[in-house]
Amino acid sequence: MEIRFEKFYHTMATAELEAFVVTDKINRRYLCGFTGSNGLLVVTPGKNTLIIDGRYTEQASKQTQNVAIYTLKFGESYWGVAAHLLEKFKKIGFEEDSLCFRDYQALKQKLAISVELIPTSHLIEQLRMIKTSAELTKIRQAAMLADQTFSRVLTLIKPGMTELALANEIDYLSKKYGSDSPAFETIVASGTRTALPHAHATHKKIEQDELIMLDFGCTVGGYYSDLTRTFALGEVSETIKNSYQLLLETQRHALALVEVGRSVSELDLAARNYLAKSDQAKYFTHGLGHGIGLACHEYPSINQIDDTRLQPQMVFTVEPGIYYPGQYGIRIEDDVYLDEQGKVEILTKSKKEWMNI
């Protein structure tokens, strides 16, 4: 944790910030280790203070490093205490994506008029983007558990089973194998419902000779994996199989272009251009992927407008999808690690060639 704070001090100095207020829960955890649902982290040179209420005093004392813990007394407010800690500073950064306007006003009103509150975006997320070996170990373990769960669940799928029942099996098996929790609400879609990119599992029964899409992940020590596979129960049309092959080729094309220094928007564009050769790009309706780590979806977003450049030790997903409204959809997703030497490692190992089960 000390190294993380040191890196963040450097980031603050580069941004010409004298102090910083951390309101994002995951960023707070990243810097000091605290996992509680409520709290405020004030970062100042030489002293970092975690402000909490009495529910979290014992938890914070066990989890945190390199911070002073301040438990609110009766009648005190987070923003009043924060303002006191910040009274010597003139340029204070805050996270514009997580500080609501009401709380911004509460802090602003308690600070001197001369103090400048400066909005920032992704300062800590840019640090989180580069994974240490310890972080990678947890992500790799989460990916292995997802693969293990997928392999087992393929043997359980039967006609007449509902999507919800299958989602419950996935969640149960992943925990049985060692996942701390599901990464998100497990997606199970079958038949025409595969055309919904983020379909919620329903009471719909899975039928023989239809398409199934599974999207789920595991967590280990707060770190996530994310896996999507699409396959058939029985036989489906040649049109669907051909679409699948096109998408698999698209993913492989994008993966072949992963290299240090390339912008993530270039990756996204490459996948769209590959699909455009078959006039299918219009059915690719979301970004190519996202960072993954302490959050399942974290910075950067791999899409057409993000120009973040790939760096060694990044972990992210590559997940092209094509969705034909009212007919079917296909998505293939893997977790990717770009190592210190710039070599690409696919962390999720589940088979992705076309499957009939």
Side-chain angles (χ1 to χ4, degrees), residues 7-18 91 123 126:
K7 289 182 177 180
F8 188 51
Y9 293 150
H10 178 74
T11 298
M12 288 169 55
T14 301
E16 299 182 340
L17 300 172
E18 299 173 341
K91 300 184 74 173
L123 291 190
Q126 289 176 24

Side-chain angles (χ1 to χ4, degrees), residues 98-354:
S98 65
L99 182 66
C100 71
F101 183 71
R102 177 194 62 199
D103 290 340
Y104 169 85
Q105 290 285 80
L107 178 59
K108 183 72 174 176
Q109 289 170 5
K110 294 181 182 299
L111 293 170
I113 296 175
S114 59
V115 171
E116 187 177 2
L117 280 176
I118 302 171
T120 70
S121 182
H122 299 140
L123 291 190
I124 301 173
E125 286 86 347
Q126 289 176 24
L127 299 179
R128 285 170 46 195
M129 185 174 73
I130 308 304
K131 304 301 190 287
T132 64
S133 58
E135 291 178 298
L136 178 62
T137 295
K138 294 175 182 178
I139 298 171
R140 185 176 276 124
Q141 177 71 9
M144 186 192 74
L145 293 176
D147 285 333
Q148 189 176 3
T149 300
F150 180 70
S151 177
R152 175 63 178 133
V153 83
L154 286 178
T155 69
L156 304 178
I157 301 172
K158 306 294 181 186
M161 186 180 204
T162 67
E163 294 172 344
L164 271 172
L166 180 54
N168 289 338
E169 287 289 350
I170 291 170
D171 293 348
Y172 166 74
L173 286 169
S174 65
K175 289 182 179 180
K176 179 181 178 181
Y177 293 143
S179 176
D180 296 335
S181 65
F184 46 85
E185 181 184 339
T186 295
I187 293 172
V188 177
S190 58
T192 59
R193 298 192 70 256
T194 57
L196 303 172
H198 277 183
H200 297 278
T202 68
H203 291 287
K204 176 193 174 299
K205 292 182 178 180
I206 299 170
E207 299 177 9
Q208 183 70 27
D209 301 328
E210 71 176 0
L211 204 59
I212 301 173
M213 181 190 294
L214 307 182
D215 185 351
F216 66 97
C218 298
T219 59
V220 173
Y223 287 83
Y224 287 73
S225 64
D226 193 355
L227 173 71
T228 305
R229 291 294 185 265
T230 310
F231 51 92
L233 177 60
E235 293 295 330
V236 294
S237 70
E238 289 299 316
T239 299
I240 292 177
K241 294 178 185 178
N242 291 338
S243 295
Y244 187 92
Q245 189 59 34
L246 172 63
L247 193 68
L248 182 57
E249 291 171 2
T250 301
Q251 195 211 31
R252 287 173 173 163
H253 177 69
L255 288 170
L257 295 174
V258 172
E259 64 179 4
V260 173
R262 190 180 297 277
S263 72
V264 297
S265 59
E266 287 182 70
L267 283 185
D268 184 279
L269 181 61
R272 292 180 198 282
N273 286 344
Y274 195 89
L275 286 169
K277 294 177 183 178
S278 303
D279 196 30
Q280 302 301 298
K282 57 182 174 290
Y283 300 110
F284 181 17
T285 56
H286 53 71
L288 182 64
H290 52 84
I292 190 166
L294 274 174
C296 191
H297 286 238
E298 66 177 35
Y299 182 84
S301 295
I302 301 178
N303 57 36
Q304 300 173 73
I305 61 175
D306 194 319
D307 287 327
T308 301
R309 297 199 173 271
L310 296 175
Q311 300 177 46
Q313 298 175 249
M314 285 178 63
V315 182
F316 52 93
T317 70
V318 175
E319 50 177 300
I322 44 179
Y323 311 93
Y324 303 94
Q327 300 179 56
Y328 64 91
I330 300 166
R331 183 165 64 254
I332 305 169
E333 176 183 26
D334 283 303
D335 301 342
V336 178
Y337 173 56
L338 188 58
D339 74 12
E340 294 90 334
Q341 288 73 43
K343 182 181 177 182
V344 176
E345 178 186 354
I346 309 299
L347 300 179
T348 40
K349 312 293 186 184
S350 294
K351 177 182 176 182
K352 55 187 175 184
E353 288 74 19
W354 173 251

